[in-house]
Amino acid sequence: MLLPRSPDTEIPVAVAAGERGALVVTKVTPGSGKPDEQQASLRVWLVKKAGRPVKLFETPCGGHEGSEASAEVLVADDASHLLTNCTTSEFRPADQLFTSRDGHGWKKEPLPDNGNEFDHLARNGDTMVLAGGQADDNVEHTTEPHTWYRQGSNSWHTGAPLDAGRLPDAGVVPRKDQEMLAVTAAGSGFVAIGSARSADNSAVGALWFSADGKKWSKQATRANGFDKLRALTALTAWKKEVVVLASRRSWETSDPAHARIWIGDLAPGSSSSSPSATRRQLAQFVGTWSWSGASITIKADGTFTYRYLTMVQCSEHAPPCDQGAKMGGKASGTLRQGRTADKAAGTVVDALPNDPAGSSITISREPYMAINVTINKRGYGLFCEPGANRCAGHVGGE
């Protein structure tokens, strides 16, 4: 399918598929001659099987590196996300993140701090991950890779430093010599691929797994055959299968003799077995537990979302507020297995009306299909098991 004719130079840079069609992102420079790099922009098109492509959105992407402007686009069930990779005329990062609920209205969202470069994004459920680096005065912006994560629309947090691996495996190098080239959701977590470059300029492929977007574990290089590849360059995941495109030469992937396809699965025997074990231990807490005025949704990886009534209607108060019967209060956090099998403990990331951000939370299984939620040793109530109509003294779980 051809995009509409235009005097502009227009090059596709990203694509993502959704139920309503495919979103295609193009880099646009004015005129048919040599591109004016400082006037580059990025356009988002909706492409369907029938009908003409529809332009949904356009945003400037200027600077000296406008000719190299790029983007990533992601389509989820409830929204689409666009990450632009741009610079200013002084070579400073000018990346931006946009979100759209319907494809037509795109809202600019905050990114972590200023001066960071963001190259890749991924989302799994309510968790979004960014991968990039911290810019410096070097024109090449050579820096060790960094990751950031957030829950829902909460604030961004910096992920743990990338795992360098363990000797005598191949590709165990300082983080400044590691590079992330792609990130995607896989299973209940995330997978990132790239390369690890040694002092002699040799390099091997690298793959990291994260159960929560916060901590990344490097997978064994030789055991997976990554030491025979210069870099892992592109990937996709479906359920528990991961497919990776790799190349012996990171700058030349068109030669079939140097291309490789690697297919694997998220087996519990890898270094991700510890998070998997945690998910199994927390299985008895998974689901949405509720009682009048509040609910808590706990996922298999230990992340949770707590919703509550603020007792203030939006018609008479600014957010956070309740919209009719819809709860306006929201907080999220993470859980781990407690000291006994029937307990879970963790941290609430967000502030609550009577408790600050970072508060401790404890959840215990109780008789009669209930859990008891305690924050900072203060009782928040008994919540009914998912689907239960009666539990532990509550009549009705909704």
Side-chain angles (χ1 to χ4, degrees):
M1 183 175 291
L2 298 177
L3 295 176
R5 286 182 176 270
S6 169
D8 300 331
T9 300
E10 194 160 3
I11 302 172
V13 294
V15 62
E19 292 184 357
R20 295 186 295 174
L23 293 185
V24 178
V25 183
T26 58
K27 181 197 72 177
V28 183
T29 48
S32 57
K34 182 179 179 180
D36 185 342
E37 295 175 350
Q38 295 190 15
Q39 296 185 42
S41 64
L42 293 164
R43 287 178 183 165
V44 180
W45 296 86
L46 175 63
V47 180
K48 299 182 179 181
K49 291 183 179 179
R52 295 183 177 183
V54 178
K55 186 174 77 170
L56 300 178
F57 179 63
E58 184 166 351
T59 183
C61 191
H64 286 295
E65 297 180 1
S67 61
E68 300 177 4
S70 62
E72 287 201 3
V73 63
L74 185 155
V75 177
D77 293 337
D78 59 344
S80 299
H81 306 280
L82 172 68
L83 176 67
T84 68
N85 189 351
C86 310
T87 62
T88 67
S89 57
E90 290 79 27
F91 295 99
R92 297 297 181 185
D95 304 339
Q96 297 185 71
L97 176 65
F98 298 91
T99 294
S100 175
R101 301 293 177 184
D102 58 5
H104 296 280
W106 292 79
K107 178 183 177 182
K108 182 179 176 181
E109 295 196 48
L111 285 169
D113 302 323
N114 294 320
N116 293 323
E117 292 181 312
F118 307 100
D119 303 314
H120 312 290
L121 82 161
R123 177 181 158 186
N124 200 334
D126 289 336
T127 303
M128 180 175 285
V129 167
L130 292 172
Q134 292 181 335
D136 55 24
D137 293 333
N138 190 322
V139 172
E140 299 297 328
H141 298 305
T142 302
T143 178
E144 66 180 63
H146 283 71
T147 61
W148 296 265
Y149 66 92
R150 75 176 186 187
Q151 297 286 336
S153 58
N154 296 323
S155 300
W156 290 99
H157 302 275
T158 303
L162 287 187
D163 180 12
R166 284 152 290 281
L167 292 172
D169 195 15
V172 181
V173 298
R175 294 187 182 95
K176 67 179 180 63
D177 297 318
Q178 297 175 342
E179 183 180 13
M180 273 190 174
L181 296 173
V183 183
T184 191
S188 59
F190 299 88
V191 168
I193 60 170
S195 63
R197 185 181 301 275
S198 300
D200 62 358
N201 207 35
S202 64
V204 295
L207 183 146
W208 295 267
F209 174 79
S210 175
D212 53 14
K214 305 174 187 178
K215 185 176 180 181
W216 297 81
S217 300
K218 193 169 186 288
Q219 304 302 292
T221 300
R222 287 198 179 99
N224 287 292
F226 303 149
D227 57 327
K228 298 180 176 62
L229 308 165
R230 185 176 180 89
L232 307 183
T233 55
L235 84 159
T236 188
W238 174 249
K239 295 184 179 179
K240 292 190 176 182
E241 286 194 340
V242 180
V243 181
V244 176
L245 176 66
S247 170
R248 287 190 183 276
R249 302 178 184 176
S250 59
W251 61 87
E252 183 184 324
T253 60
S254 59
D255 186 348
H258 295 101
R260 298 289 186 274
I261 293 178
W262 178 86
I263 302 175
D265 58 52
L266 302 175
S270 68
S271 61
S272 63
S273 58
S274 177
S276 297
T278 299
R279 290 195 294 271
R280 288 194 296 271
Q281 292 171 338
L282 292 173
Q284 62 176 322
F285 297 100
V286 172
T288 298
W289 306 73
S290 58
W291 72 290
S292 179
S295 71
I296 184 167
T297 300
I298 303 172
K299 296 185 177 181
D301 62 359
T303 60
F304 68 84
T305 302
Y306 172 66
R307 301 303 300 257
Y308 58 93
L309 290 172
T310 64
M311 302 304 176
V312 178
Q313 291 298 314
C314 294
S315 59
E316 53 192 30
H317 196 274
C321 54
D322 305 324
Q323 186 69 43
K326 185 177 180 181
M327 291 177 281
K330 181 180 179 181
S332 62
T334 56
L335 293 169
R336 64 184 183 280
Q337 185 62 44
R339 294 183 177 180
T340 60
D342 62 349
K343 291 185 181 297
T347 303
V348 184
V349 174
D350 311 291
L352 292 163
N354 297 313
D355 291 288
S359 296
S360 62
I361 180 173
T362 302
I363 297 179
S364 60
R365 284 301 304 256
E366 299 294 333
Y368 306 108
M369 301 178 293
I371 58 172
N372 185 29
V373 177
T374 302
I375 298 178
N376 287 342
K377 298 183 179 181
R378 183 165 50 248
Y380 268 61
L382 292 170
F383 290 69
C384 289
E385 187 176 79
N389 293 321
R390 176 191 292 269
C391 78
H394 290 308
V395 178
E398 297 295 327

